[in-house]
Amino acid sequence: QVQLVESGGGLVQAGGSLRLSCAASGRMLSYYTMGWFRQAPGKEREFVAAIKWGAGSTKYADSVKGRFTISRDGAKNTVYLEMSSLSPGDTAVYYCAASRTSYGSYCPTTGNDYGDWGQGTQVTVTS
């Protein structure tokens, strides 16, 4: 099992930036996928971005492509989500998740494919 703790959420004005962090405890294997999801009030959880722990290959939702960057630091066992050009539509609770299933080079984008989740961190973007 991988335990995940997110941090870095907060209140930011539209057009601003934030960096979310997700610290993972436990052994991280190269085929794991780390993902970020978000859930806005009254909406379903949606995929944001994912990264292969070993290869570093990434996948993004169309809504954040070009604005968000996912990365990982193996030495710190931490995944980051750099968010820029934020808009009120990005307001949500952001969750870090880990998939310990081998998907090869594919980054899963469905929440059910991830077995370990953090507690979430709130991001609020004001206009």
Side-chain angles (χ1 to χ4, degrees):
Q1 186 178 5
V2 176
Q3 294 182 329
L4 305 170
V5 178
E6 302 101 330
S7 61
L11 186 68
V12 63
Q13 287 188 331
S17 301
L18 274 178
R19 186 177 79 161
L20 305 183
S21 299
C22 173
S25 62
R27 186 183 178 193
M28 299 296 292
L29 301 182
S30 61
Y31 61 83
Y32 287 6
T33 306
M34 300 299 293
W36 285 97
F37 290 76
R38 65 187 182 185
Q39 187 166 20
K43 295 187 177 181
E44 292 187 354
R45 181 178 60 194
E46 64 173 354
F47 169 77
V48 175
I51 186 168
K52 305 299 291 188
W53 186 257
S57 51
T58 59
K59 187 174 181 65
Y60 296 92
D62 289 342
S63 60
V64 306
K65 205 170 291 185
R67 300 188 300 122
F68 290 13
T69 301
I70 188 171
S71 62
R72 86 272 189 251
D73 184 332
K76 296 182 179 180
N77 254 25
T78 300
V79 177
Y80 303 98
L81 185 68
E82 297 270 5
M83 306 184 294
S84 62
S85 300
L86 287 162
S87 70
D90 295 312
T91 294
V93 177
Y94 283 72
Y95 297 92
C96 178
S99 173
R100 291 178 280 130
T101 300
S102 177
Y103 289 100
S105 61
Y106 171 70
C107 285
T109 61
T110 303
N112 289 341
D113 292 326
Y114 291 78
D116 301 300
W117 292 82
Q119 82 287 351
T121 185
Q122 176 71 47
V123 172
T124 302
V125 184
T126 60
S127 57

